[in-house]
Amino acid sequence: MKQNRILTFLFTLAVAVLASCSQGKQEETSAAGNEQQKEPVKVLKLQPQIVARSVEYPATLEAYEEVYMVPAQPGRIENIFVDVSDRVTKGTPLVQMDKTQLHQAEVQLQNLKADFNRLDTLKQYGSVAQQQYDQVKTQYEVAKSNVEFLKENTQLLAPFNGVVSGRYFEPGEMYSGAPNTLAGKAAVLSIVQIDRLKGIVPVSEKHFPKIEKGMETKIKVDIYPGKDFTGRVERVHPTIDPANRTFNVEMVINNREGLLRPGMFARAAFNLDEEKAILLPIMAVLKLQGSNERYLFKVENGVARRVSVTIGERYDDNIEVFSDDLEPGDNIIVSGQARLVDGVPVQVVEG
């Protein structure tokens, strides 16, 4: 009987020891598990930044200069040296008109020049009346001016470096001087300058005091997504349109790459004010699936805290966010947040 009690005591002691060891191992395992559950994250200390506030308006691009080439008077077109899309440099011959009138004027000029030279010699000896001399001199100067005029209008030269945008006649046809273009003007050729363009932007009257000549603008065109062009305010129209309360702003846009063309639709952004804003990397802001709700995580007392935010404008790889729960100095999680939920312990890692 005594032996049975001893065996029972030893068995109970062994069970107690085993239970104690098992509980110790469970606590160690639990502690280790809690340590492993800390999610590694990278953070960015929140600091407000100065940003330029901009307004954006639609714009229509136009050629900086456009000229409809015409002779001074009707006549037969002898030759046209260029065609649509040809690039021309200033002074390049474009059109040759019939030279019959020019030849006649040159012959008349030569005759008058000879008469004038004879009278000029006689005048030196007092052998010609002053009235006769003045009359021939006037005729000579008029004939010389007429020849210069015909030379200028018999051959049409490019007025600037540009591109031929329209050709409305063929060699041998008669130019009559009647309007024959969509612009309602008469022309043999039209030339546009596209190395730089002009943009016309209607801007709200409330911004009138802030738009100044020389101000830089950012130009966006839909056919070149992600590419910005630079414009500069060249002229601010002085009147407000009472129908829509806007005023026109003219910009000049550098187009040396030749990517833009007159007639394109564009959007022009004007930087008007500077103020403080909260900017964060785009990757830091998450979107709740199936809704437009945006949120991010910040580290607070070693755990991730979810913060709902409203997004604003985008600045390159950063985006503006608004939230009453964000303060300067907050540690915003910018990497590793995709697998987080509110309250999860986190471990901030460097790099």
Side-chain angles (χ1 to χ4, degrees):
M1 190 70 176
K2 184 177 181 181
Q3 184 178 5
N4 289 339
R5 285 198 297 270
I6 293 173
L7 289 173
T8 300
F9 172 76
L10 292 175
F11 176 76
T12 303
L13 180 62
V15 170
V17 171
L18 288 173
S20 177
C21 291
S22 176
Q23 183 178 0
K25 288 182 180 180
Q26 287 178 356
E27 291 177 354
E28 290 177 2
T29 302
S30 177
N34 289 337
E35 187 67 29
Q36 291 172 358
Q37 288 176 3
K38 285 190 175 181
E39 295 287 349
V41 295
K42 296 179 182 178
V43 300
L44 175 70
K45 191 172 290 294
L46 183 62
Q47 293 293 341
Q49 302 179 40
I50 300 296
V51 298
R53 292 296 184 194
S54 64
V55 293
E56 189 174 275
Y57 289 97
T60 299
L61 302 185
E62 300 178 1
Y64 187 77
E65 288 187 81
E66 183 172 15
V67 173
Y68 293 86
M69 304 294 297
V70 295
Q73 57 190 16
R76 187 178 67 87
I77 300 171
E78 188 174 291
N79 204 354
I80 301 177
F81 305 112
V82 294
D83 210 333
V84 175
S85 296
D86 287 350
R87 284 190 168 270
V88 297
T89 56
K90 184 177 181 179
T92 301
L94 304 177
V95 179
Q96 180 65 59
M97 300 297 293
D98 182 73
K99 293 180 277 192
T100 301
Q101 286 186 326
L102 175 61
H103 291 329
Q104 292 174 350
E106 288 175 336
V107 171
Q108 184 182 11
L109 177 63
Q110 291 301 321
N111 292 334
L112 287 171
K113 183 178 180 181
D115 292 343
F116 175 72
N117 288 338
R118 282 195 298 270
L119 288 178
D120 190 52
T121 301
L122 292 174
K123 184 177 183 300
Q124 294 178 12
Y125 295 99
S127 302
V128 65
Q130 183 67 39
Q131 183 179 2
Q132 183 182 3
Y133 174 82
D134 291 342
Q135 184 178 8
V136 173
K137 180 181 179 182
T138 300
Q139 292 175 346
Y140 169 65
E141 290 177 347
V142 169
K144 185 167 64 173
S145 175
N146 188 40
V147 168
E148 292 174 354
F149 172 80
L150 288 172
K151 282 183 177 179
E152 182 179 344
N153 286 276
T154 299
Q155 189 176 69
L156 306 183
L157 307 179
F160 49 75
N161 298 341
V163 177
V164 178
S165 59
R167 172 171 163 163
Y168 309 102
F169 287 91
E170 296 298 328
E173 293 185 326
M174 288 294 296
Y175 167 71
S176 65
N180 62 330
T181 66
L182 293 176
K185 299 179 180 180
V188 178
L189 294 173
S190 56
I191 311 294
V192 294
Q193 185 183 45
I194 62 172
D195 288 342
R196 54 178 176 166
L197 297 178
K198 182 168 56 176
I200 309 297
V201 187
V203 178
S204 172
E205 66 176 352
K206 66 182 179 180
H207 300 305
F208 187 81
K210 301 175 184 177
I211 304 294
E212 299 178 350
K213 182 178 179 180
M215 177 184 293
E216 284 198 353
T217 63
K218 184 182 294 184
I219 310 297
K220 296 180 180 293
V221 181
D222 290 343
I223 64 173
Y224 300 115
K227 183 174 180 60
D228 293 337
F229 300 86
T230 301
R232 178 175 49 81
V233 175
E234 186 175 55
R235 188 173 293 108
V236 179
H237 289 212
T239 57
I240 307 296
D241 185 346
N244 50 28
R245 300 299 176 186
T246 62
F247 64 98
N248 282 342
V249 175
E250 293 185 23
M251 307 171 298
V252 59
I253 303 160
N254 187 347
N255 189 38
R256 291 180 182 174
E257 297 180 31
L259 298 177
L260 304 176
R261 286 293 183 272
M264 281 185 175
F265 173 80
R267 294 185 301 276
F270 299 84
N271 291 332
L272 301 181
D273 297 300
E274 290 187 344
E275 60 182 41
K276 287 185 178 181
I278 297 176
L279 298 186
L280 292 172
I282 293 176
M283 69 182 77
V285 181
L286 304 177
K287 181 181 179 182
L288 184 63
Q289 189 173 4
S291 73
N292 287 324
E293 182 182 349
R294 307 298 176 101
Y295 63 95
L296 53 79
F297 288 96
K298 67 177 182 179
V299 177
E300 190 175 272
N301 298 324
V303 299
R305 291 302 181 194
R306 175 172 163 162
V307 178
S308 295
V309 297
T310 302
I311 62 173
E313 296 185 33
R314 178 170 176 171
Y315 299 85
D316 297 326
D317 293 332
N318 294 325
I319 194 166
E320 182 182 17
V321 299
F322 303 93
S323 176
D324 294 336
D325 296 326
L326 294 178
E327 298 289 343
D330 284 346
N331 289 318
I332 307 301
I333 298 176
V334 296
S335 178
Q337 73 274 34
R339 56 183 178 271
L340 297 180
V341 294
D342 189 53
V344 169
V346 292
Q347 177 68 43
V348 177
V349 298
E350 301 295 330

